Amino acid sequence: METEGRADESSSSQRDPPQNTGSYEFSLTPQDSRPTENSQPAEKSVPIEEPIVVDRKAIEKLTEGLLSHYLPDLYSSKQALLELNQNQVILLDTLDQEVTKFRECNSLLDLNSLFTEAKFYHGKLVNIRKDMIMLHEKTTKLKKRALKLQQQRQKEVMEKEQQREKELERERQLIAKPAQRT
């Protein structure tokens, strides 16, 4: 009969929600019960279904004790994480600066190649300029020579023309003139 009464109490406590009377009730289930030296193995043990009443002040004190035990470690862990975060930020900034330096080095290499290329093309331009100056001088000399040749030809043509005129004049003078009859 006693076991039937307990079964009725446990079934009613499972159906009805607990009343809030300022104290908390905790019940142990078969999983929560630990075998003792005198108890039988878990398969044969009888589950404990009686509610345990714990005072609110006891819960608060247990909570405070638990918090006072773990909070210092949590705060120190928090501080360590904050410090680690700051170190990571510093490390990321340093890494970013190093990446920037590498990019500058690469751009310097590009600049060096550009300067080398510019020097090469500058040499080509200087050679082209020298060639153009030389060609200009040659064309100037050729123009002068052509002008001199042209003037010389004109002079020769004039001299031939004058000589022919002189010959024509001489021939005219040599041609007998009929005397006029008077």
Side-chain angles (χ1 to χ4, degrees):
M1 276 202 117
E2 222 176 280
T3 54
E4 288 177 334
R6 282 188 187 164
D8 289 338
E9 286 177 12
S10 66
S11 64
S12 68
S13 67
Q14 287 177 355
R15 282 183 242 136
D16 299 329
Q19 303 282 331
N20 190 2
T21 58
S23 62
Y24 295 96
E25 295 181 8
F26 292 99
S27 62
L28 294 174
T29 61
Q31 298 160 351
D32 294 338
S33 63
R34 305 270 187 254
T36 57
E37 292 176 14
N38 298 336
S39 67
Q40 298 174 357
E43 301 153 1
K44 297 180 182 178
S45 67
V46 178
I48 301 173
E49 302 249 349
E50 295 179 13
I52 300 174
V53 177
V54 180
D55 188 26
R56 183 180 200 129
K57 289 182 181 177
I59 291 176
E60 287 177 5
K61 286 184 180 181
L62 287 171
T63 305
E64 285 177 16
L66 185 68
L67 287 176
S68 66
H69 181 71
Y70 288 109
L71 275 181
D73 290 338
L74 289 174
Y75 283 130
S76 64
S77 296
K78 182 179 180 180
Q79 291 299 324
L81 286 174
L82 288 175
E83 184 179 337
L84 182 64
N85 245 357
Q86 290 172 347
N87 289 341
Q88 282 181 338
V89 167
I90 292 169
L91 184 63
L92 285 174
D93 288 342
T94 306
L95 198 60
D96 189 37
Q97 291 171 358
E98 292 297 319
V99 166
T100 305
K101 286 180 185 178
F102 279 121
R103 285 187 181 147
E104 288 174 359
C105 286
N106 285 341
S107 64
L108 285 177
L109 291 176
D110 292 342
L111 284 177
N112 286 337
S113 66
L114 284 175
F115 278 119
T116 304
E117 201 172 329
K119 188 183 267 187
F120 172 74
Y121 285 114
H122 181 263
K124 277 190 162 187
L125 284 173
V126 167
N127 289 337
I128 290 172
R129 186 169 185 248
K130 285 180 185 177
D131 290 345
M132 288 179 70
I133 290 171
M134 185 181 67
L135 289 173
H136 178 70
E137 289 174 358
K138 282 185 178 181
T139 55
T140 306
K141 286 179 184 178
L142 285 173
K143 283 181 182 177
K144 285 181 182 179
R145 186 172 173 202
L147 185 62
K148 283 183 184 178
L149 287 173
Q150 188 178 10
Q151 287 173 351
Q152 190 176 3
R153 270 199 173 154
Q154 284 177 355
K155 191 176 180 182
E156 287 176 1
V157 167
M158 279 178 102
E159 285 177 359
K160 281 184 181 179
E161 185 74 29
Q162 286 175 359
Q163 192 167 354
R164 201 173 354 137
E165 282 180 16
K166 282 182 184 179
E167 285 179 14
L168 282 174
E169 185 67 34
R170 191 169 169 211
E171 279 181 28
R172 274 192 220 151
Q173 288 176 359
L174 290 178
I175 294 179
K177 289 184 187 176
Q180 286 183 352
R181 296 188 184 177
T182 47

